[in-house]
Amino acid sequence: MGGGEKMRGGEKMYNTSTPMPTHQLSDSNRGIMGNHNDNNARNLRVYQTWKGSNIFCFGGRLVFGPDVRSLFLTIFLIMIPVILFCAFVSQRLINDFQHQLGYYVVVICVILTAHVIILLFLTSARDPGIIPRNLHPPEDEGSSISADWPGSQVAGPSLPPTKDVMVNGMVVKVKYCQTCLLYRPPRCSHCSICNNCVERFDHHCPWVGQCIGKRNYRFFFMFVSSTTMLCLYVLAFCWVNIRKIMDTYHCNMWTAFLKSPVSGILILYTFICAWFVGGLTAFHLYLIFTNQVAIFSSPSFLCCSESFTPHYAACKLFNFFADNI
């Protein structure tokens, strides 16, 4: 947050640097410092004076997005079909499979579900790669600025909207963030929902209620890929259950669905979900292999385009559920 402070992982951060004169601070950040003559204010941890929209829990150890309540909807959509599968479908599988193989089907389903929920929590509760705000604008290096740049109309130092920096021997253009008062590193973007600059920002995921960035992207990818596996697992054994009913009663498929309607409901539900999360998994595999991020390769996620992608479809589905609950 200034004075050499950085936000990294689970480090404890204290605002113990020498207070800066108030007249050198911007209006948006003057409130961070509080009363500079108050010793208690100088010992506040950074999360207690954070200017973004994040929600901190357990002394700042857990960092959630402002829409963390959507996490309960996601957990509900994962747990309910698993509970239905274990309560209704698995009973016939336990009876029909020999050598207690039916019990292993249920145990694997429960373990896979627990794995998905843990990954969901790790994705939602981790710092995605937030870059702390500066208390005052960086030093002007003598760059010129056009008159139509908004920052040139306000009091304070005039800073160019972009500047060139050297990264691995290549010249890269970085943008200035007026909210965080810093030049963003390459592939860093400002999330309007969390109101933070996030390093290697991929997108803000409404399903986990958190930005996806440098420090939680691996957990997000493991979450969507594991959810795909869970959907396919339940889908496959629901079909096995239907086939066993058909063999036992020598009936057709529709009669089997009538004898086990839960299996039919779960087959339809998991097929639809597998299409969404499977599409996301394939899409992010493509991004990983091509070294891209979703915000640049899929502008439709930000509602800038009407082209149909897994991100666009998933967000539309989330808005449908959220608006009807």
Side-chain angles (χ1 to χ4, degrees), residues 2-35:
E5 288 187 56
K6 294 183 178 180
M7 183 176 180
R8 290 293 182 269
E11 297 179 4
K12 292 183 178 180
M13 302 169 293
Y14 295 89
N15 189 8
T16 56
S17 58
T18 303
M20 180 174 295
T22 307
H23 68 274
Q24 295 184 16
L25 303 178
S26 66
D27 293 336
S28 61
N29 290 277
R30 188 173 290 120
I32 295 179
M33 301 301 292
N35 185 357

Side-chain angles (χ1 to χ4, degrees), residues 5 54 75 109 126 150 173 198 232 264 288 317:
E5 288 187 56
N54 301 92
I75 293 174
C109 181
R126 283 182 63 91
K173 192 178 295 294
V198 179
L232 295 177
I288 291 171
L317 181 64

Side-chain angles (χ1 to χ4, degrees), residues 149-164:
W149 171 243
S152 62
Q153 307 298 326
V154 297
S158 297
L159 294 171
T162 62
K163 74 173 183 178
D164 295 331

Side-chain angles (χ1 to χ4, degrees), residues 234-250:
V234 174
L235 174 65
F237 279 101
C238 284
W239 270 115
V240 170
N241 185 48
I242 293 297
R243 291 297 305 177
K244 286 189 171 294
I245 293 176
M246 294 172 62
D247 294 339
T248 301
Y249 294 97
H250 303 287

Side-chain angles (χ1 to χ4, degrees), residues 2-189:
E5 288 187 56
K6 294 183 178 180
M7 183 176 180
R8 290 293 182 269
E11 297 179 4
K12 292 183 178 180
M13 302 169 293
Y14 295 89
N15 189 8
T16 56
S17 58
T18 303
M20 180 174 295
T22 307
H23 68 274
Q24 295 184 16
L25 303 178
S26 66
D27 293 336
S28 61
N29 290 277
R30 188 173 290 120
I32 295 179
M33 301 301 292
N35 185 357
H36 301 294
N37 297 323
D38 188 356
N39 292 329
N40 292 329
R42 292 169 55 188
N43 292 325
L44 289 176
R45 296 180 66 177
V46 171
Y47 82 91
Q48 295 175 312
T49 56
W50 194 251
K51 298 295 290 183
S53 302
N54 301 92
I55 299 173
F56 296 89
C57 300
F58 298 102
R61 293 174 177 84
L62 302 181
V63 184
F64 295 97
D67 49 349
V68 65
R69 288 180 296 179
S70 63
L71 201 61
F72 296 102
L73 172 61
T74 305
I75 293 174
F76 174 83
L77 294 175
I78 294 172
M79 292 298 300
I80 291 302
V82 172
I83 293 174
L84 292 176
F85 176 79
C86 294
F88 297 98
V89 180
S90 63
Q91 296 300 320
R92 182 178 296 275
L93 297 177
I94 292 174
N95 296 329
D96 291 345
F97 279 110
Q98 298 178 355
H99 307 295
Q100 297 184 338
L101 292 179
Y103 290 102
Y104 291 113
V105 172
V106 178
V107 170
I108 292 174
C109 181
V110 172
I111 293 175
L112 189 56
T113 303
H115 178 67
V116 169
I117 297 299
I118 291 173
L119 289 173
L120 173 62
F121 182 78
L122 289 175
T123 303
S124 180
R126 283 182 63 91
D127 167 22
I130 299 171
I131 299 179
R133 299 185 184 190
N134 285 333
L135 294 178
H136 56 89
E139 294 291 335
D140 186 11
E141 298 177 355
S143 302
S144 59
I145 185 171
S146 60
D148 57 350
W149 171 243
S152 62
Q153 307 298 326
V154 297
S158 297
L159 294 171
T162 62
K163 74 173 183 178
D164 295 331
V165 297
M166 189 70 66
V167 179
N168 296 329
M170 298 179 61
V171 177
V172 178
K173 192 178 295 294
V174 295
K175 296 181 179 180
Y176 180 71
C177 179
Q178 287 186 296
T179 302
C180 299
L181 303 179
L182 52 83
Y183 282 99
R184 303 171 190 158
R187 298 196 178 186
C188 172
S189 295

